[in-house]
């Protein structure tokens, strides 16, 4: 949209002062973030977010050719929002794959697609020995030394440290030596204790999540950050979460990308909740882009918000759309109706129809390939 149209939209929404702040590159406050959410002015907020998105990344829309690997869904944490896990006392209802099965999953995918990343998360399953995790990372790198292993959340690393009575620094050094490349952003959920005590009280506290991530960054490991939104959290608590991430990024610079994760209530203990709307999906992405001024990338995770919402988000703050994924399980076990993976052609079409340039990236956002627009017949 033109600058004049955006000005008028912001004027009409009572956001002219925030419009001027964004144009001048000044940091938004906590109160500013709450105002943006409460304005309900999606076109104005999305337009402002698009300014920041294009200032940082131009027309680029990043994606990665990746697969998700979930070695186990047996877990001792019992989060009410999770439809993926099976409680340890009923572990026969879930799965616990051994090393050979995990590596066969990766090997099978390499046979059909040139993936560059393996994304690994799972349950807190006490049946695995410590060596399983490092052997898994090492085994994947042995299959293809060029593969980037993005593995285990901050909550899982805390679990490893406690379960095996090893200092967190030693855990990260062991995993780095095995070939760990980076950390996904999960386990953060909402970095507010009220929410954590209500629906996932067994998971590590917010301060501990931040401490684990800070430690990973100190060891030279980059990571992503997430927010699970659309359940019992308030808008103020969403903004508090964003501000806590921003403060840690000021200190470490270790975050690569922020990924808002839309809550899917089906098949969870919170199935009575409606979950977020498409409006909420887009507003959350846009506000995040505006508040997280020190993050280079914001992802519209199509698996959770649908490909259509993700496509729209590419013009409302998002510059990344994840990737081909290949058989996502966690969200789909909670009832997601999106595809479990997207083909390359589908991803390229989705990006081009949004008016953006498809860029295949590696896990650290280095560009691997630029895709020219198809010739017009």
């Amino acid at each position: 949209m033109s600058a004049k149209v955006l000005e008028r939209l912001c004027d009409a929404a009572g956001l002219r002062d925030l419009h001027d702040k964004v144009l001048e590159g000044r940091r938004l406050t906590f109160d500013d973030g709450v105002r943006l959410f409460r304005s309900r002015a999606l076109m104005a907020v999305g337009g402002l977010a698009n300014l920041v998105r294009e200032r940082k990344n131009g027309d680029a829309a990043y994606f990665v050719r990746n697969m998700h690997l979930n070695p186990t869904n047996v877990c001792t944490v019992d989060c009410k929002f999770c439809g993926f896990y099976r409680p340890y006392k009923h572990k026969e209802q879930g799965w616990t794959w051994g090393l050979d099965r995990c590596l066969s999953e990766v090997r099978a995918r390499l046979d059909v697609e040139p993936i560059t990343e393996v994304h690994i998360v799972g349950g807190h399953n006490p049946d695995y020995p410590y060596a399983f995790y490092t052997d898994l990372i090492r085994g994947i790198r042995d299959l293809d030394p060029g593969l980037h292993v993005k593995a285990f959340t901050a909550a899982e690393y805390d679990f490893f440290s406690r379960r095996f009575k090893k200092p967190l620094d030693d855990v990260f050094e062991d995993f780095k030596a095995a070939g760990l490349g980076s950390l996904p952003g999960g386990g953060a959920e909402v970095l507010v204790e009220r929410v954590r005590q209500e629906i996932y009280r067994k998971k590590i506290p917010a301060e501990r999540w931040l401490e684990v991530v800070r430690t990973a960054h100190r060891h030279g490991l980059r990571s992503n950050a997430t927010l699970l939104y659309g359940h019992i959290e308030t808008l103020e608590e969403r903004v508090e979460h964003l501000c806590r991430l921003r403060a840690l990024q000021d200190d470490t610079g270790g975050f690569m990308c922020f990924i808002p994760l839309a809550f899917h209530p089906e098949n969870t203990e919170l199935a009575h909740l409606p979950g977020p709307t498409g409006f909420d999906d887009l507003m959350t992405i846009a506000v995040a882009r505006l508040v997280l001024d020190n993050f280079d990338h914001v992802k519209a995770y199509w698996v959770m918000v649908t490909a259509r919402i993700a496509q729209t988000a590419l013009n409302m703050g998002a510059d990344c759309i994840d990737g081909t994924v290949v058989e996502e399980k966690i969200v789909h076990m909670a009832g997601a109706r999106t595809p479990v993976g997207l083909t390359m052609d589908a991803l390229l079409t989705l990006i081009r129809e949004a008016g953006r340039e498809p860029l295949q990236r590696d896990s650290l956002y280095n560009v691997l390939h630029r895709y020219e627009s198809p010739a017009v017949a």
Side-chain angles (χ1 to χ4, degrees):
M1 75 179 63
S2 71
K4 287 296 184 183
V5 169
L6 181 57
E7 280 185 16
R8 288 198 294 268
L9 287 171
C10 291
D11 283 339
L15 299 174
R16 182 55 185 265
D17 59 325
L18 299 189
H19 167 277
D20 294 345
K21 260 190 168 181
V22 171
L23 260 63
E24 293 165 12
R26 290 186 283 139
R27 172 162 283 186
L28 300 185
T29 65
F30 170 87
D31 289 339
D32 293 337
V34 175
R35 275 183 63 198
L36 290 169
F37 268 121
R38 295 210 175 280
S39 73
R40 310 291 292 169
L42 178 59
M43 295 306 296
V45 177
L48 288 175
N50 190 56
L51 286 180
V52 176
R53 177 247 197 273
E54 292 187 350
R55 186 184 297 161
K56 288 179 175 288
N57 294 291
D59 280 333
Y62 295 94
F63 70 93
V64 64
R65 302 189 77 161
N66 62 344
M67 70 171 288
H68 285 206
L69 179 66
N70 308 116
T72 184
N73 68 338
V74 174
C75 190
T76 59
V77 181
D78 305 332
C79 299
K80 292 182 180 179
F81 65 80
C82 184
F84 168 74
Y85 90 99
R86 296 296 179 265
Y88 186 73
K89 63 183 177 182
H90 301 302
K91 61 182 180 179
E92 71 281 354
Q93 298 174 7
W95 69 80
T96 302
W97 291 348
L99 183 62
D100 289 345
R101 170 66 188 273
C102 291
L103 294 178
S104 72
E105 294 282 323
V106 179
R107 189 180 299 108
R109 182 46 45 188
L110 287 171
D111 287 343
V112 298
E113 183 182 2
I115 60 172
T116 63
E117 173 188 284
V118 180
H119 175 127
I120 310 173
V121 295
H124 297 199
N125 188 338
D127 286 346
Y128 284 122
Y130 185 72
F132 167 81
Y133 302 102
T134 52
D135 287 349
L136 175 58
I137 295 170
R138 191 174 292 107
I140 291 171
R141 296 297 305 279
D142 286 345
L143 289 175
D144 182 346
L147 279 175
H148 182 102
V149 180
K150 182 171 71 178
F152 309 118
T153 67
E156 287 172 280
Y157 283 105
D158 174 77
F159 170 71
F160 302 153
S161 178
R162 289 184 291 105
R163 170 75 178 85
F164 301 106
K165 297 180 173 57
K166 293 179 71 74
L168 192 58
D169 289 300
D170 291 352
V171 172
F172 280 126
E173 284 304 309
D174 289 345
F175 279 60
K176 279 182 62 179
L180 177 68
S182 64
L183 279 64
E189 322 314 352
V190 182
L191 294 171
V192 176
E193 284 309 313
R194 181 196 74 84
V195 179
R196 303 182 87 81
Q197 289 301 311
E198 182 69 23
I199 62 175
Y200 42 98
R201 64 172 56 92
K202 291 184 182 180
K203 188 162 277 186
I204 59 173
E207 286 293 343
R208 178 58 173 168
W209 189 93
L210 293 165
E211 179 186 352
V212 174
V213 172
R214 184 186 297 275
T215 303
H217 292 175
R218 190 173 68 245
H219 282 266
L221 292 161
R222 305 294 301 279
S223 73
N224 292 331
T226 60
L227 161 69
L228 182 71
Y229 67 92
H231 42 88
I232 68 166
E233 86 289 355
T234 65
L235 296 178
E236 288 83 359
E237 287 167 337
R238 290 190 200 180
V239 179
E240 181 179 346
H241 177 99
L242 296 175
C243 289
R244 299 194 81 176
L245 292 176
R246 186 173 71 182
L248 181 56
Q249 181 75 332
D250 280 343
D251 288 346
T252 71
F255 287 121
M256 295 179 290
C257 182
F258 174 70
I259 308 131
L261 302 176
F263 171 58
H264 284 257
E266 300 92 338
N267 304 324
T268 76
E269 293 182 50
L270 302 177
H272 59 284
L273 298 177
T277 63
F279 179 96
D280 203 10
D281 294 333
L282 292 169
M283 184 65 90
T284 303
I285 288 168
V287 173
R289 177 65 284 171
L290 292 166
V291 172
L292 296 175
D293 51 32
N294 53 5
F295 276 63
D296 289 334
H297 305 285
V298 172
K299 182 183 295 184
Y301 187 32
W302 64 262
V303 170
M304 282 186 153
V305 300
T306 76
R308 290 184 177 185
I309 292 292
Q311 183 183 51
T312 304
L314 291 176
N315 286 286
M316 290 190 168
D319 63 278
C320 182
I321 202 164
D322 202 74
T324 48
V325 176
V326 184
E327 200 177 359
E328 194 282 335
K329 289 185 174 71
I330 293 177
V331 184
H332 287 85
M333 288 181 69
R337 296 178 178 85
T338 53
V340 295
L342 281 182
T343 66
M344 275 291 298
D345 285 346
L347 266 178
L348 295 176
T349 298
L350 184 151
I351 291 168
R352 287 171 175 147
E353 286 182 348
R356 299 305 189 184
E357 179 188 8
L359 297 181
Q360 183 184 344
R361 62 174 176 85
D362 66 11
S363 301
L364 303 178
Y365 283 85
N366 299 303
V367 175
L368 298 179
H369 188 76
R370 292 179 178 270
Y371 288 81
E372 296 181 0
S373 296
V376 178

